[in-house]
Amino acid sequence: MVAAGAALLKELVGMGQGHLVDGWQPGEDEEDKRRLFAQLHALDASITGGLVGYVRRAATLLKESQEGKNPLEGFAPAVPSGHELQLGGPDFLECEATGAAARCGFVVVAGGLGERLGYSGIKLELPPETLTGKPYLQLYAEHVLALQRQQRRTDPNSPLLPLIIMTSEDTDLPTRALIDHLDGMGLDPAQLHVLRQQKVPCLVDSTARLATLPSDRYTLLTKPHGHGDVHALLHSSGLAARLYGEGFTHLAFLQDTNALVFSGLVAAIGLSVRHGLALNTLSVPRRAGDAAGALMQLTGGDGRSILCNVEYNQLSAMLVAAGDSRGDTNDTSGYSPYPGNTNQLVVALELYVASLEASGGVMVEFVNPKYTDATRTAFKSPTRLECMMQDLPWLLPPGAPVSFTVLGAADAYAPVKNALADAAKKAAAGQSPGAASSAEFLVYALNAKLLRLAGAEVEQGSPCSLAGVPCSLGPQVVLTPAFRPTIGAALSRLQGTLRVSARSSLLLDGEIHISHLELDGALKVRAAPGARVTIRRMHLTNKGYVLRELSAAELTDPATSELCRMRGFTYEEAEVREMIFDEPGEHVVDEE
Ligand code: UTP
């Protein structure tokens, strides 16, 4: 290992990396030198194409960046055509039923640092809503288990649905600790897979000189390579091919923080099946200026046409170059004409596995240095090559059936990306805030919408601003995956009257059917697996939970819990009725 690392260093020095050994004296710091050799060897093994290949690619990309070359130069953009589904509509429900029966594995990419959010832990441990306080990871696992239970009702031999988590060096240990803390989230260990992505070396300047730590010249500085690594890992681990061999037909890729994803994903899987799509991106209307990519149909000079994501930092320049001087702007609908990429993808395993075999899963890489001046030579801080999972269309063979499925803006996408103060600034600029608070209210709003679609009268809340982030206050409604394995199942749970006032909190967890419920306060109903609860008649009024905005002092006080500080509000419990049915069998609630 050490000898191989030393040989590698020699090769790198021959390629212009002489600064790495500047001032080295024989017999000095030998232990430290061996450390560097070992690191070089490990990086060489983990990087597709090895370290030398990486440095060569970096040199080319940095030169192109210095020359201001746009990798998408020569491609003409057009608004792509795809599919649209109305949440809960007949077509949606049909697709969803197909998707719910599909043999699909779920992949969560969770290697990101979450620097914009600034949370001290991993994002997967955050609760998307505070009524249950359950972490994202638990929510995703419950959705997978709920789908699996539904499949096993019709086919007891149907396989365990895999949940695959991609971690990184930054998130791996805490993610494993979270899985242990949650007792494996109820998953069979055979269906849970953790793949760890490795970091890649950073580069100091446009000549692609490798960076070392400021405090330690014998350690290369490394940073994450981006979520695009997920494809190479699914290939190198053999997992994608194995699942395909076991009869799985699709993989669905999720982000670490999107509590609404399963509202649209299952229907998108069904739509993929229906149209034989190799790749289907879950899309929502995009506001101009949002830090989210746009889906575009690009046609190159050679006539090749590809439906792919264009990142937000390239979008305006591309549109202007194509003759649209307005750049990234909204049309009369209030949204950009280019559908937004939520980075939730459904891929068909057959073509995916074949493409991974052909390419090794190596994604298109890019570099995004922040230059110190117009000479575009020196960087403000070392940069690295990155890759994105949504660049998959470039890996698929030309002509592969690639499309997207658009749902309503607030029906399938509520990511948590930004710290509260930044979210407030974004909102003021007309962009999506992507804060923990706005995302939490989107969860309640979506669940309230589902109840309305099922015929319930759920009072609308009033719009307000919490710590500068616009939020639409309404009832806190949480319908857990066990209540709503699919949207179709959720809609069938209400057979009579349900009235919920705007100040109410309602948690429905498990197989619960409602014939008559009037709620003005807080109610939590939990039915364990195997228990079937019918609320025949119930009229509940209590003091409930009361939302309180944090004061400016509380927002900066370390004594305030981090989860509250990142939201800017807290719900205080005044009075809650909790009903737990943990015995299997029929239960009826009749309180008139
Ligand atoms: P984001 O764009 O939200 O980036 O990642 P991030 O790194 O998490 O957050 P910032 O930019 O530092 O604020 C989108 C998804 O891709 C995953 C994230 O965990 C998230 O689910 N990701 C990102 C990876 O898995 N690996 C990476 O190297 C980067």
Side-chain angles (χ1 to χ4, degrees):
M1 192 167 95
V2 169
L8 193 56
L9 180 60
K10 208 165 160 198
E11 192 178 351
L12 288 169
V13 168
M15 292 169 55
Q17 301 287 340
H19 67 288
L20 291 176
V21 296
D22 265 358
W24 276 30
Q25 298 297 337
E28 212 177 85
D29 299 337
E30 290 303 321
E31 199 47 45
D32 293 323
K33 288 175 189 166
R34 273 195 288 279
R35 252 190 321 111
L36 177 62
F37 298 151
Q39 188 194 15
L40 291 172
H41 179 71
L43 285 168
D44 192 49
S46 69
I47 295 173
T48 320
L51 194 49
V52 168
Y54 176 84
V55 171
R56 287 211 177 103
R57 297 199 300 275
T60 308
L61 286 169
L62 285 167
K63 185 163 176 286
E64 288 173 2
S65 164
Q66 190 179 29
E67 290 164 357
K69 208 168 150 192
N70 178 351
L72 293 176
E73 214 169 277
F75 281 96
V79 176
S81 68
H83 302 268
E84 204 175 325
L85 289 175
Q86 293 298 327
L87 185 85
D91 207 26
F92 176 98
L93 294 177
E94 226 173 81
C95 283
E96 194 190 45
T98 306
R103 300 277 184 262
C104 183
F106 297 88
V107 186
V108 184
V109 289
L113 292 172
E115 277 172 337
R116 284 170 289 173
L117 186 61
Y119 175 59
S120 62
I122 51 168
K123 288 185 275 176
L124 278 181
E125 78 186 23
L126 287 170
E129 41 75 23
T130 45
L131 190 62
T132 67
K134 266 187 205 163
Y136 277 99
L137 184 57
Q138 175 87 44
L139 177 73
Y140 294 154
E142 285 184 11
H143 272 295
V144 171
L145 287 169
L147 284 172
Q148 185 178 292
R149 263 198 304 276
Q150 188 158 299
Q151 289 192 355
R152 289 196 159 188
R153 260 188 219 139
T154 42
D155 174 7
N157 296 320
S158 65
L160 298 169
L161 298 178
L163 179 64
I164 301 160
I165 306 170
M166 181 176 79
T167 61
S168 64
E169 288 172 56
D170 299 299
T171 63
D172 190 68
L173 283 178
T175 304
R176 289 174 195 272
L178 178 64
I179 294 169
D180 286 346
H181 174 72
L182 298 171
D183 281 334
M185 294 102 55
L187 296 164
D188 185 312
Q191 71 188 125
L192 180 64
H193 308 266
V194 180
L195 303 175
R196 190 171 91 150
Q197 65 174 143
Q198 304 291 333
K199 290 186 187 176
V200 289
C202 293
L203 311 144
V204 192
D205 56 24
S206 288
T207 62
R209 287 192 308 139
L210 291 164
T212 53
L213 294 184
S215 57
D216 176 8
R217 57 179 300 205
Y218 297 104
T219 299
L220 292 189
L221 175 66
T222 58
K223 283 190 184 169
H225 190 222
H227 37 65
D229 279 349
V230 72
H231 303 304
L233 281 171
L234 282 164
H235 174 62
S236 61
S237 64
L239 196 51
R242 196 182 102 199
L243 293 175
Y244 178 55
E246 288 172 1
F248 286 91
T249 58
H250 290 81
L251 280 182
F253 293 81
L254 337 176
Q255 302 271 296
D256 50 15
T257 60
N258 181 16
L260 303 189
V261 58
F262 278 82
S263 305
L265 193 65
V266 185
I269 297 167
L271 195 131
S272 277
V273 174
R274 183 197 278 181
H275 294 280
L277 299 178
L279 170 63
N280 181 13
T281 300
L282 192 57
S283 167
V284 292
R286 174 183 178 278
R287 285 213 178 86
D290 271 355
L295 298 173
M296 292 182 148
Q297 189 74 46
L298 301 182
T299 306
D302 59 359
R304 181 183 179 190
S305 188
I306 185 164
L307 198 171
C308 64
N309 171 74
V310 173
E311 269 308 272
Y312 54 94
N313 53 359
Q314 295 179 325
L315 198 58
S316 251
M318 168 151 227
L319 290 167
V320 171
D324 184 348
S325 57
R326 293 162 308 160
D328 184 15
T329 40
N330 293 327
D331 61 19
T332 48
S333 69
Y335 290 99
S336 156
Y338 295 94
N341 167 36
T342 67
N343 245 357
Q344 271 121 181
L345 317 173
V346 180
V347 305
L349 268 168
E350 186 177 9
L351 197 55
Y352 183 62
V353 168
S355 303
L356 290 181
E357 253 147 41
S359 64
V362 184
M363 302 300 290
V364 192
E365 288 173 310
F366 64 95
V367 69
N368 190 15
K370 310 279 179 290
Y371 292 104
T372 47
D373 58 34
T375 64
R376 295 173 77 85
T377 314
F379 310 153
K380 287 185 181 154
S381 65
T383 189
R384 83 288 195 185
L385 300 192
E386 294 176 75
C387 62
M388 302 186 295
M389 70 170 177
Q390 65 269 35
D391 279 336
L392 192 59
W394 299 96
L395 217 69
L396 299 175
V402 171
S403 191
F404 59 93
T405 304
V406 188
L407 273 115
D411 290 343
Y413 195 46
V416 177
K417 298 255 187 214
N418 302 312
L420 200 54
D422 294 334
K425 282 187 208 142
K426 282 184 183 293
Q431 296 162 14
S432 308
S437 55
S438 53
E440 174 163 356
F441 288 106
L442 286 173
V443 171
Y444 300 142
L446 186 272
N447 287 320
K449 179 172 177 174
L450 291 182
L451 294 182
R452 280 188 207 107
L453 284 173
E457 292 168 41
V458 183
E459 264 182 27
Q460 297 282 358
S462 39
C464 76
S465 167
L466 294 168
V469 175
C471 296
S472 180
L473 294 189
Q476 254 191 314
V477 183
V478 175
L479 309 175
T480 68
F483 177 86
R484 41 154 292 201
T486 57
I487 301 294
L491 300 188
S492 70
R493 299 269 200 237
L494 177 63
Q495 288 102 19
T497 303
L498 173 61
R499 288 196 189 104
V500 183
S501 70
R503 71 171 190 94
S504 289
S505 301
L506 175 63
L507 167 68
L508 297 173
D509 179 18
E511 192 181 339
I512 300 156
H513 297 260
I514 296 170
S515 300
H516 192 116
L517 171 63
E518 296 190 39
L519 177 64
D520 182 30
L523 172 67
K524 295 180 177 177
V525 188
R526 297 179 197 272
R532 187 178 192 276
V533 176
T534 302
I535 301 183
R536 191 176 289 157
R537 268 175 303 190
M538 189 172 177
H539 193 138
L540 181 72
T541 303
N542 61 26
K543 294 187 193 129
Y545 284 97
V546 181
L547 184 140
R548 184 174 69 76
E549 187 173 3
L550 298 187
S551 67
E554 281 174 304
L555 273 178
T556 51
D557 184 353
T560 309
S561 89
E562 192 178 3
L563 292 183
C564 291
R565 270 186 281 132
M566 68 195 293
R567 286 177 153 74
F569 68 86
T570 179
Y571 274 104
E572 289 175 345
E573 182 178 328
E575 192 184 359
V576 181
R577 171 93 179 266
E578 191 153 9
M579 304 168 86
I580 299 176
F581 301 87
D582 43 19
E583 293 297 321
E586 293 284 334
H587 304 265
V588 174
V589 180
D590 193 340
E591 297 196 346
E592 289 296 305

